[in-house]
Amino acid sequence: MILITGGTGYIGSHVAVELVINGHEVLIIDNLSNSSKKALEGLKKITQKDIIFEKIDLRNSNALEKLFDKYSFEAVIHLAGLKSVKKSNEIPSEYFENNVQGTRNLISVMKKSKVKKLVFSSSATVYGIPKSLPIYESSDIGNTTSIYGKTKYMVENILREIWEKDNEWQICILRYFNPIGAHSSGLIGESPKGIPDNLLPYLFNVASGVLKELEIFGDDYSTPDGSGIRDYIHIEDLSKGHLCALEYLSDKHNISFFNLGTGNGFSVFEIIKTFKKVTNIDIPYKVVGRRSGDISEIFADVSLAKKNLNWTAKKTLEEMIYDGWNWQKKNLNLND
Ligand code: NAD
Ligand code: UD1
């Protein structure tokens, strides 16, 4: 059985589908701070299976210990954590507690129970401001622009140290670029609580009339059209990367790091244009100042994941937007 922490969240729910349809037994834990049990209904419809769910907070070591006593896990895919860059700078201690201490608790219970296979969701944010592009796994890390980024960097370092002290561990660290879109069934997707910070969820809410206009955070970057460039990746492709990571770990006692992206960058204006092409909807927008902590441009080199994980992203930007919008149309109200 595979434990997925944060499994009712955006990425976790898609990873759960990918694992279950490929024959894995899955158990999800989540404290539901940024997701709801509704995701489990979508999971059941897609997979035709009941997935066991336990409401557990990673900050509660006792609850984790009981869970590991009750079930026998083969591996853990660890996605639970807080992810808002903005909030991380407002309430840093919550980010350190949930993301860093929460991971420490998980690791210590895993160690006690001799479960030493772990896939961890890190982020391209660990690379900070890129010195050159594309970004390789060997590029500099640590010069992060937010507390959120710092927590990911800290967890990566903790995992490195754990592996150095005990080579029995099998650890795969996945650095996600910008996951967007939704499952092609339209039954699960991203439902952030409150007003979204990220581009696509915000844009979808503008398209559906819930929010008035999109603010473009700067058109004066040194990119071809002046807006920020990111490596957007379809959530289904990203999820498949986790399955490949588990397969990769089956016979390797090492710690490894992989970029999960497409290798292509798109600007904010290109996203708006592609949305119009796919949906025929115009997005009202205005250009405002740069967002603090934003970088101009980032995209991945993805050859290492191709070589070692036998994984590449296949879906186009059009498919990402089509599937994301398909999900969003059915979930128009902002959750609170
Ligand atoms: P999400 O908020 O949808 O999912 C995270 C889940 O973790 C939520 O369901 C939340 O309720 C749960 N959670 C938070 N703190 C917890 C705790 N202390 N105990 C138990 N559960 C807790 O976010 P997501 O987009 O699915 O991201 C999943 C992971 O991937 C996060 O660690 C995030 O930092 C990382 N990541 C996300 C992105 C992205 O663009 N979405 C990019 C890079 C990395
Ligand atoms: C952000 C985080 C990153 C995190 C990721 C997923 C920052 C600096 N980085 O990435 O650490 O891993 O989310 O949670 O916040 N944009 C607009 N208007 C908007 C929203 C975004 O113009 O309303 C622009 C941004 O300036 C950027 C692009 O759209 O150029 C993508 O932004 P976003 O979706 O927030 O992702 P990142 O900033 O790449």
Side-chain angles (χ1 to χ4, degrees):
M1 182 184 270
I2 312 286
L3 171 63
I4 304 183
T5 76
T8 44
Y10 172 46
I11 299 174
S13 55
H14 290 82
V15 171
V17 166
E18 192 56 34
L19 262 56
V20 171
I21 61 175
N22 281 285
H24 288 283
E25 203 182 338
V26 161
L27 186 148
I28 287 175
I29 61 168
D30 202 295
N31 68 357
L32 303 178
S33 61
N34 196 38
S35 57
S36 93
K37 275 186 166 182
K38 267 193 230 158
L40 299 168
E41 294 164 23
L43 288 183
K44 183 162 185 188
K45 281 192 191 142
I46 299 170
T47 63
Q48 303 294 315
K49 297 240 161 69
D50 280 309
I51 296 175
I52 310 171
F53 171 76
E54 302 248 0
K55 187 176 174 200
I56 289 179
D57 193 309
L58 288 184
R59 290 166 297 180
N60 182 347
S61 292
N62 287 340
L64 282 175
E65 274 183 31
K66 279 192 193 140
L67 179 82
F68 276 74
D69 284 345
K70 189 167 163 194
Y71 299 97
S72 164
F73 298 115
E74 178 195 321
V76 178
I77 300 189
H78 174 35
L79 301 115
L82 302 178
K83 65 162 179 177
S84 161
V85 167
K86 200 164 136 205
K87 283 196 199 123
S88 75
N89 292 328
E90 291 161 10
I91 43 168
S93 58
E94 293 228 11
Y95 274 69
F96 290 122
E97 275 163 33
N98 280 275
N99 295 7
V100 184
Q101 191 53 42
T103 305
R104 277 182 176 282
N105 295 345
L106 176 69
I107 295 293
S108 114
V109 176
M110 285 175 70
K111 195 175 161 195
K112 254 191 212 162
S113 312
K114 299 197 168 42
V115 180
K116 292 187 176 176
K117 198 185 281 185
L118 175 70
V119 177
F120 172 62
S121 59
S122 189
S123 164
T125 194
V126 298
Y127 294 113
I129 301 164
K131 286 197 188 124
S132 62
L133 290 166
I135 291 277
Y136 294 89
E137 287 79 356
S138 55
S139 298
D140 286 352
I141 60 165
N143 193 14
T144 52
T145 56
S146 70
I147 296 291
Y148 165 72
K150 197 169 202 168
T151 65
K152 291 290 174 194
Y153 176 64
M154 286 168 78
V155 170
E156 285 201 5
N157 283 339
I158 290 169
L159 295 177
R160 260 182 234 268
E161 277 173 28
I162 281 168
W163 189 83
E164 272 159 24
K165 286 203 186 94
D166 175 358
N167 295 173
E168 273 184 16
W169 278 88
Q170 302 172 273
I171 302 176
C172 187
I173 295 182
L174 302 177
R175 294 178 179 149
Y176 310 150
F177 279 66
N178 287 59
I180 60 167
H183 193 265
S184 52
S185 65
L187 293 167
I188 51 170
E190 185 169 19
S191 347
K193 292 194 173 177
I195 295 177
D197 290 334
N198 295 118
L199 178 61
L200 268 298
Y202 199 102
L203 182 151
F204 291 149
N205 278 291
V206 172
S208 55
V210 175
L211 295 169
K212 196 171 132 254
E213 64 186 354
L214 176 70
E215 291 185 339
I216 298 182
F217 297 144
D219 66 353
D220 57 351
Y221 285 107
S222 55
T223 57
D225 65 23
S227 66
I229 290 181
R230 297 291 183 274
D231 184 340
Y232 297 94
I233 171 169
H234 195 295
I235 186 70
E236 285 189 30
D237 278 332
L238 186 92
S239 302
K240 288 187 184 20
H242 295 71
L243 186 70
C244 295
L246 276 184
E247 280 162 12
Y248 172 78
L249 283 182
S250 62
D251 61 350
K252 286 183 196 62
H253 290 265
N254 65 5
I255 181 162
S256 50
F257 301 81
F258 296 103
N259 289 337
L260 295 189
T262 62
N264 303 313
F266 289 99
S267 74
V268 179
F269 286 116
E270 283 173 319
I271 295 283
I272 295 174
K273 273 190 211 130
T274 311
F275 185 77
K276 163 83 181 177
K277 187 177 147 203
V278 172
T279 65
N280 208 24
I281 298 173
D282 281 308
I283 296 293
Y285 68 82
K286 70 169 180 217
V287 176
V288 299
R290 295 181 179 190
R291 178 171 65 179
S292 153
D294 262 0
I295 53 173
S296 149
E297 182 173 6
I298 187 164
F299 54 90
D301 178 274
V302 287
S303 48
L304 194 66
K306 186 172 183 185
K307 183 170 156 237
N308 290 354
L309 299 183
N310 196 19
W311 172 91
T312 40
K314 299 211 164 62
K315 298 208 177 214
T316 62
L317 184 63
E318 281 80 2
E319 288 171 293
M320 301 178 207
I321 289 179
Y322 181 89
D323 288 337
W325 178 236
N326 178 41
W327 156 257
Q328 189 71 44
K329 273 188 298 190
K330 299 177 193 152
N331 296 273
L332 286 182
N333 51 330
L334 289 176
N335 293 322
D336 50 23

